[in-house]
């Protein structure tokens, strides 16, 4: 059993999920702490009327992007403005890739204050035999509908003059214009104007579906009770909104015994603070508004933070890990996708290190807990990071469980011993290594040295586990000004998130990026696809905050540089 290994897997899994979510919305929101932009012109995306309830993802920007860029340029030092302008242009080109549309020429002159992008379906023709062909919809509000109409007409005339086979047809009172697929079978660019919105899609089928959703209002996302429940729990001051239908990503509930809907969803509102981006999330399990309201478990920071150093690259803290696991188990029951996601690392740990996390760890952590990673110092970059795990041990169950961990370590071949560190007695899991005689290589005295692989100690009401003696010494010798709670970056985050919470996740990106790249190969690809975000990311903090009428709430603060 390796303490370092199971702590590493737990932490890395959490980080991966968070980074994947963040990369989606940042491309629309840019990277600047826009103090002057407190909210969009509208608080709810009007384009939700075009989007079906089953839409996998919808992202809306509720303020004109040029307004954001203008404020960003004012706040950026003159020497950095060309680079910042280039970043905005790169985002615009990415969103309009393969459309033959130019933002400055074809869109900017008439664009209003709402831009919505939706992945309408993961497969346009719903035929997996010929591969998946996603269907996208761009819904752009027009400040000048007449100019937008004229611009689109000129665009299609130019396309036709260039030899493109352009088709115009009426559909339920709306004119659809598109070009035929080319020889490579690429999906045709399609446009339409409906009221004050310009609709752009990669297939006329997507435009027809959007119009159907408007005329059969019950089909649209705007009429979804789950979506409306989520909006009720989110602050109205926002510049963007993200909706993710979890049921459309292979996460359907398959067990009819479980009283859960087939399509839970996550809605996220994005706001701006002087230090970065502030997101509020609402997780809704279903259409019915009959869930329980649960107050946050914590009204102030837990005492376990006092053993977490300010040099931590990432930290997770909360209370009653056992209850959290029980809730998670009930939520994912009958959902093979989520069950596999959660249980796979647990099975790996059990098979390799004979450690059953729910029974050997979660089961007895019913009080406060904190987990932190300490990155290696610059001069020791090749070394692995250290880990600290702190948990309250006020129950007989906890005391017996800690003894059981020692027994498991012995069963796995480690030696168990005690030694003094200052005034504390530490228990160590060690291996014996032969010490070579460097003075005389021909002599082999078989001198053995005990090398600690992990240590733990009882400190007041807490049990502290670390992956090295150095990390334990750091945890035990902390003074108030060196703890994570007093770290400048962490203080800024705590000022942005609610005091009442169920727990916290903190990531110092600059301190952790080297370790994360080693553990998550996919992260390198994410960095390329969301480069503006990662270039400016300094730290990330997440705080969960109970539930209101069954809607689970959380706050995400993204510190930017």
């Amino acid at each position: 059993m390796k303490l370092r290994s199971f702590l590493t897997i737990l932490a890395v899994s959490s980080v991966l999920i968070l980074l994947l979510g963040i990369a989606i919305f940042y491309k629309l929101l840019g990277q600047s702490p826009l103090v002057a932009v407190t909210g969009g012109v509208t608080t709810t995306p009007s384009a939700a009327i075009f989007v079906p309830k089953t839409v996998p993802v919808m992202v809306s920007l509720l303020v004109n992007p040029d307004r954001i860029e203008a404020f960003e340029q004012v706040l950026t030092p003159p020497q950095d403005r060309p680079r910042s302008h280039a970043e905005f242009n790169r985002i615009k080109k990415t969103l309009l890739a393969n459309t033959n549309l130019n933002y400055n020429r074809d869109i900017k002159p008439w664009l209003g204050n709402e831009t919505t992008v939706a992945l309408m379906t993961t497969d346009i023709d719903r035929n997996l035999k010929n591969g998946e062909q996603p269907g996208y919809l761009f819904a752009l509000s027009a400040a000048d509908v007449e100019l937008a109409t004229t611009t689109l007409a000129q665009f299609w005339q130019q396309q036709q003059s260039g030899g493109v086979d352009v088709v115009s047809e009426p559909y339920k009172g709306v004119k659809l214009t598109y070009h035929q697929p080319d020889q490579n079978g690429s999906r045709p660019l399609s446009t339409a104007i409906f009221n004050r919105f310009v609709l752009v899609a990669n297939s006329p089928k997507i435009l027809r579906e959007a119009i159907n959703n408007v005329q059969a209002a019950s089909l649209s996302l705007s009429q979804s009770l789950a979506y409306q429940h989520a909006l009720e729990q989110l602050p109205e001051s926002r510049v963007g909104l993200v909706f993710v239908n979890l049921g459309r990503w292979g996460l359907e509930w398959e067990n009819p015994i479980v009283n859960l809907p087939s399509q839970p969803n996550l809605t996220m509102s994005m706001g701006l603070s002087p230090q970065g981006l502030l997101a509020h999330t609402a997780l809704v399990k279903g259409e019915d508004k009959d869930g329980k309201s649960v107050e946050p478990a914590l009204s102030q920071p837990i005492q376990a933070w006092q053993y977490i150093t300010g040099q931590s690259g990432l930290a997770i803290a909360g209370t009653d890990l056992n209850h959290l696991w029980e809730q998670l188990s009930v939520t994912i029951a009958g959902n093979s996708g989520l069950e596999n996601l959660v249980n796979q690392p647990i099975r790996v740990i059990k098979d390799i290190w004979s450690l059953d996390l729910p029974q050997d760890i979660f089961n007895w952590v019913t009080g406060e807990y904190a987990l932190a990673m300490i990155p290696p110092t610059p001069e020791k970059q090749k070394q692995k990071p250290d880990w600290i795990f702190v948990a309250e041990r006020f129950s007989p169950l906890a005391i017996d469980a800690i003894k059981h961990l020692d027994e498991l370590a012995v069963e796995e071949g480690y030696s168990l011993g005690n030694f003094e560190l200052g005034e504390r007695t530490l228990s160590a899991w060690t291996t014996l290594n032969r010490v070579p005689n460097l003075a005389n290589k021909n002599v082999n005295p078989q001198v053995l040295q005990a090398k600690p692989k992990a240590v733990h100690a009882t400190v007041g009401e807490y049990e502290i586990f670390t992956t090295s003696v150095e990390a334990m010494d750091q945890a035990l010798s902390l003074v108030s000004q060196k703890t994570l709670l007093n770290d400048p970056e962490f203080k800024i985050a705590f000022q942005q998130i609610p005091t009442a919470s169920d727990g916290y996740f903190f990531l110092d990106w600059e301190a952790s990026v080297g370790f994360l790249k080693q553990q998550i190969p996919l992260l390198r690809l994410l960095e390329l696809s969301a480069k503006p975000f990662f270039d400016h990311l300094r730290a990330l903090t997440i705080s969960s905050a109970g539930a209101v009428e069954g809607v689970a709430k959380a706050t995400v603060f993204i510190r930017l540089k």
Side-chain angles (χ1 to χ4, degrees):
M1 177 180 57
K2 298 180 181 178
L3 180 66
R4 182 193 305 271
S5 300
F6 87 75
L7 296 181
T8 300
I9 290 178
L10 284 177
V12 167
S13 299
S14 301
V15 172
L16 176 59
I17 294 171
L18 294 170
L19 291 179
L20 286 173
I22 293 167
I24 296 174
F25 61 74
Y26 187 78
K27 285 198 171 189
L28 288 180
L29 295 177
Q31 53 80 27
S32 173
L34 306 174
V35 186
V37 183
T38 58
V41 175
T42 61
T43 60
T44 303
S46 300
I49 62 173
F50 301 108
V51 176
K53 292 179 180 180
T54 56
V55 63
V57 177
M58 181 187 77
V59 182
S60 297
L61 180 64
L62 303 176
V63 64
N64 189 290
D66 293 314
R67 181 185 172 198
I68 287 185
E69 184 174 3
F71 277 109
E72 195 276 343
Q73 289 290 299
V74 171
L75 296 173
T76 301
Q79 66 272 17
D80 294 332
R81 289 174 184 171
R83 176 180 57 82
S84 175
H85 180 67
E87 288 177 346
F88 271 88
N89 285 338
R90 184 165 61 249
I91 294 171
K92 295 169 186 175
K93 290 180 180 179
T94 300
L95 293 175
L96 296 174
N98 302 319
T99 65
N100 292 321
L101 291 169
N102 179 277
Y103 176 81
N104 290 327
R105 180 193 66 207
D106 302 318
I107 298 176
K108 180 179 178 178
W110 51 261
L111 183 63
N113 290 305
E114 180 183 337
T115 302
T116 291
V117 184
L119 172 60
M120 299 282 280
T121 176
T122 56
D123 190 20
I124 293 176
D125 59 10
R126 294 172 173 81
N127 182 7
L128 296 179
K129 294 182 179 180
N130 59 4
E132 289 188 299
Q133 298 173 313
Y136 299 96
L137 175 72
F138 288 71
L140 313 175
S141 67
D144 188 334
V145 177
E146 184 177 349
L147 178 59
T149 303
T150 301
T151 302
L152 279 184
Q154 292 175 347
F155 169 78
W156 284 116
Q157 288 175 2
Q158 293 172 356
Q159 294 290 302
Q160 198 166 26
S161 300
V164 176
D165 186 7
V166 178
V167 178
S168 292
E169 66 176 43
Y171 183 76
K172 296 185 177 181
V174 180
K175 180 182 178 181
L176 309 184
T177 307
Y178 56 92
H179 61 70
Q180 298 287 11
D182 58 25
Q183 296 179 351
N184 296 324
S186 63
R187 288 288 169 181
L189 173 68
S190 309
T191 65
I193 295 181
F194 190 97
N195 292 339
R196 63 181 184 88
F197 276 96
V198 174
L199 306 179
V200 181
N202 62 334
S203 169
K205 289 183 178 181
I206 298 300
L207 291 184
R208 296 188 190 102
E209 180 184 356
I211 294 168
N212 290 340
N213 291 330
V214 176
Q215 298 188 351
S218 61
L219 300 177
S220 72
L221 179 63
S222 62
Q223 298 301 310
S224 166
L225 293 179
Y227 176 65
Q228 293 173 9
H229 295 167
L231 291 177
E232 290 174 359
Q233 302 304 325
L234 297 174
E236 292 188 355
S237 178
R238 61 179 76 110
V239 296
L241 193 79
V242 179
F243 175 84
V244 182
N245 193 325
L246 300 178
R248 300 297 296 171
W249 297 97
L251 302 179
E252 288 84 357
W253 268 258
E254 301 162 352
N255 186 351
I257 299 177
V258 178
N259 186 25
L260 289 174
S262 60
Q263 294 185 341
N265 61 73
L266 178 72
T267 306
M268 177 185 301
S269 69
M270 294 298 305
L272 300 167
S273 78
Q275 290 80 23
L277 302 176
L278 189 62
H280 297 273
T281 69
L283 177 63
V284 182
K285 296 179 181 179
E287 294 283 318
D288 296 332
K289 192 175 181 180
D290 60 358
K292 295 181 180 180
S293 294
V294 181
E295 293 294 327
L298 302 172
S299 59
Q300 59 185 1
I302 60 175
Q303 293 298 312
W305 280 123
Q306 63 186 304
Y307 302 108
I308 303 301
T309 172
Q311 299 176 8
S312 301
L314 67 84
I316 304 172
T319 184
D320 203 343
L321 187 58
N322 182 54
H323 179 63
L324 177 64
W325 171 251
E326 290 176 347
Q327 285 184 317
L328 181 61
S329 299
V330 171
T331 300
I332 67 175
N335 184 314
S336 59
L338 286 178
E339 283 183 329
N340 185 63
L341 177 67
V342 173
N343 290 324
Q344 184 176 10
I346 292 177
R347 287 194 296 266
V348 170
I349 292 173
K350 185 174 182 179
D351 292 342
I352 298 178
W353 297 293
S354 301
L355 185 68
D356 188 328
L357 286 180
Q359 291 297 320
D360 299 331
I361 300 294
F362 302 160
N363 189 47
W364 62 270
V365 183
T366 57
E368 297 180 357
Y369 67 88
L371 170 70
M373 184 270 286
I374 306 174
T377 57
E379 60 272 12
K380 298 181 180 179
Q381 281 298 315
K382 294 184 178 180
Q383 293 186 6
K384 294 181 179 180
D386 273 316
W387 293 90
I388 299 176
F389 180 62
V390 183
E392 278 190 289
R393 48 165 293 157
F394 53 78
S395 67
L397 176 62
I399 296 172
D400 291 340
I402 294 168
K403 292 180 180 178
H404 180 59
L405 289 176
D406 286 336
E407 295 170 356
L408 289 176
V410 174
E411 291 176 4
E412 292 299 309
Y414 294 104
S415 298
L416 179 64
N418 297 327
F419 68 95
E420 302 297 320
L421 181 63
E423 299 179 354
R424 302 286 182 185
T425 299
L426 274 58
S427 297
W429 304 339
T430 63
T431 58
L432 295 177
N433 301 301
R434 184 175 64 84
V435 179
N437 190 327
L438 300 178
N440 188 349
K441 296 182 179 180
N442 296 322
V443 177
N444 186 3
Q446 296 298 326
V447 176
L448 299 178
Q449 182 183 53
K451 184 177 180 180
K453 292 295 184 180
V455 296
H456 67 94
T458 301
V459 182
E461 298 179 347
Y462 298 91
E463 191 74 17
I464 303 176
F465 296 83
T466 67
T467 51
S468 72
V469 177
E470 292 79 9
M472 178 64 76
D473 184 43
Q474 196 170 15
L476 296 178
S477 61
L478 285 176
V479 291
S480 60
Q481 65 268 26
K482 293 183 180 179
T483 65
L484 186 59
L485 278 180
N486 289 284
D487 177 76
E489 287 296 330
F490 202 56
K491 278 186 173 182
I492 291 174
F494 254 68
Q495 293 172 357
Q496 301 293 325
I497 60 181
T499 303
S501 171
D502 290 317
Y504 306 91
F505 176 94
F506 173 76
L507 171 69
D508 185 329
W509 173 249
E510 294 179 318
S512 305
V513 60
F515 163 74
L516 294 176
K517 284 183 178 180
Q518 293 176 1
Q519 301 296 322
I520 312 173
L522 180 62
L523 185 57
R524 298 181 184 275
L525 179 61
L526 284 176
E527 277 194 298
L528 294 176
S529 62
K531 194 173 185 300
F533 170 71
F534 288 103
D535 284 348
H536 298 279
L537 176 61
R538 178 178 296 178
L540 168 73
T541 307
I542 299 177
S543 170
S544 58
V548 177
E549 296 179 334
V551 180
K553 302 172 64 176
T555 301
V556 182
F557 174 63
I558 304 168
R559 176 84 161 113
L560 303 173
K561 58 182 178 181

